[in-house]
Amino acid sequence: MRDQAVRAKTGKSWDEWLSILDAAGAKTLGHKEIVALVGQHGVGPWWRQMVTVTYEQARGLREKHQTATGYTANASRTIGVPVDRLFEAWSDAALRSRWLPDAELTIRKATPGKSLRISWGDGSNVDVGLIPKGESKSQVAVEHAKLPDAAAVAWAKGYWKQALDRLQAMVEG
């Protein structure tokens, strides 16, 4: 996020935020407490989180891809089929096994043509968003969350790149 954007939305630059939070002792605080500090400056909820996470990363309190519940990896792909076809490839177990073999998963919630919430076999979560990009093109966005560490993020990014390659080949082929 550029300095201009943060200043336009919060009234302060990144350097100013870092100085303000350092002076307030934020290095010794938890995430929620830092969010509350930022909120005292009249910043909206989304920007409170953005400023807090950026501060935590800048001060070594949080690694890249780290969240309050673990680490998160993302992958996305635009595929040349309607969104309903993508949803079917995810929700139908027989179709899914063709491009996502050996995956241990449970679909907790599925909204046709829009999203799936999945529990992965290792206890992590996978959220799938499906976005129509016209009549014959769609985007699939995968967020794999509650990963234990940065190494798991690297694994998940590679895994989902290959899985989306197989999905695309199956549904477009």
Side-chain angles (χ1 to χ4, degrees):
M1 187 77 53
R2 293 186 179 186
D3 221 36
Q4 288 174 307
V6 73
R7 182 180 292 285
K9 297 296 183 178
T10 70
K12 295 170 182 48
S13 69
W14 285 124
D15 285 340
E16 290 170 312
W17 277 116
L18 295 176
S19 294
I20 289 166
L21 293 171
D22 281 344
K27 279 187 188 178
T28 63
L29 301 177
H31 181 82
K32 289 180 181 181
E33 291 82 13
I34 300 171
V35 169
L37 273 176
V38 175
Q40 292 173 3
H41 294 268
V43 176
W46 190 88
W47 280 98
R48 284 181 215 153
Q49 292 294 327
M50 175 60 86
V51 169
T52 299
V53 168
T54 300
Y55 177 80
E56 290 170 331
Q57 289 175 339
R59 296 302 183 246
L61 305 172
R62 179 186 296 237
E63 294 180 31
K64 187 175 182 182
H65 305 295
Q66 186 179 15
T67 69
T69 59
Y71 290 75
T72 301
N74 296 288
S76 67
R77 178 76 49 90
T78 299
I79 299 177
V81 297
V83 74
D84 290 338
R85 177 74 176 115
L86 277 183
F87 182 79
E88 181 183 26
W90 280 91
S91 60
D92 181 285
L95 286 175
R96 189 176 57 245
S97 69
R98 291 174 47 198
W99 65 274
L100 203 59
D102 303 322
E104 293 180 30
L105 62 89
T106 302
I107 297 175
R108 295 188 318 268
K109 181 179 180 191
T111 303
K114 291 193 176 203
S115 64
L116 298 101
R117 304 276 185 247
I118 299 169
S119 294
W120 208 247
D122 64 1
S124 60
N125 291 328
V126 176
D127 289 342
V128 179
L130 304 171
I131 304 146
K133 297 288 184 180
E135 288 185 28
S136 61
K137 191 165 41 167
S138 306
Q139 181 180 23
V140 57
V142 177
E143 179 181 87
H144 199 144
K146 291 190 174 181
L147 297 169
D149 53 34
V153 170
W155 170 85
K157 284 181 171 283
Y159 178 85
W160 287 111
K161 181 189 180 313
Q162 291 176 357
L164 294 178
D165 286 346
R166 291 189 303 269
L167 171 63
Q168 185 170 21
M170 182 187 86
V171 297
E172 286 183 351

